[in-house]
Amino acid sequence: ARFCNVKYSAEVGDIDNMFVHLTNVAIQKHGEDYNESHGNKWPITNLRLYLEGTHGRAATDELFAGINDCIVHSLRSVQNVIINDR
């Protein structure tokens, strides 16, 4: 999981703030609050533990099932155009 240095804001004044909207490390590493020890990234297991601790296991399971569905449906939608390396 990737994170921004700055907490998300939908305020119009923050629309051009790259540190709020882009999780790209090439951008985030220039931010004042960039954490070099973890590079604003967590392993997915740490993200899952955090979400379970803050939102409960049922909500986290539902979220991850939804993410899985999005991945599967996305791959199915392009399966005919993906080059098969067999």
Side-chain angles (χ1 to χ4, degrees):
R2 291 182 176 198
F3 300 94
C4 290
N5 291 329
V6 180
K7 186 174 180 175
Y8 176 77
S9 168
E11 295 295 321
V12 175
D14 287 331
I15 197 78
D16 293 326
N17 185 344
M18 294 185 300
F19 300 115
V20 171
H21 301 289
L22 300 173
T23 60
N24 187 314
V25 175
I27 292 169
Q28 292 296 322
K29 70 181 178 182
H30 298 290
E32 189 174 304
D33 296 323
Y34 181 71
N35 185 323
E36 289 188 27
S37 67
H38 63 69
N40 291 17
K41 297 179 198 176
W42 283 0
I44 199 76
T45 52
N46 289 8
L47 175 63
R48 188 174 187 102
L49 285 171
Y50 171 79
L51 291 171
E52 285 180 3
T54 56
H55 298 284
R57 184 166 199 165
T60 302
D61 287 345
E62 185 177 343
L63 173 67
F64 274 76
I67 291 170
N68 187 63
D69 288 346
C70 286
I71 293 168
V72 168
H73 290 300
S74 296
L75 290 172
R76 283 184 180 161
S77 73
V78 297
Q79 70 183 0
N80 294 330
V81 296
I82 293 178
I83 297 172
N84 190 342
D85 289 336
R86 291 185 193 184

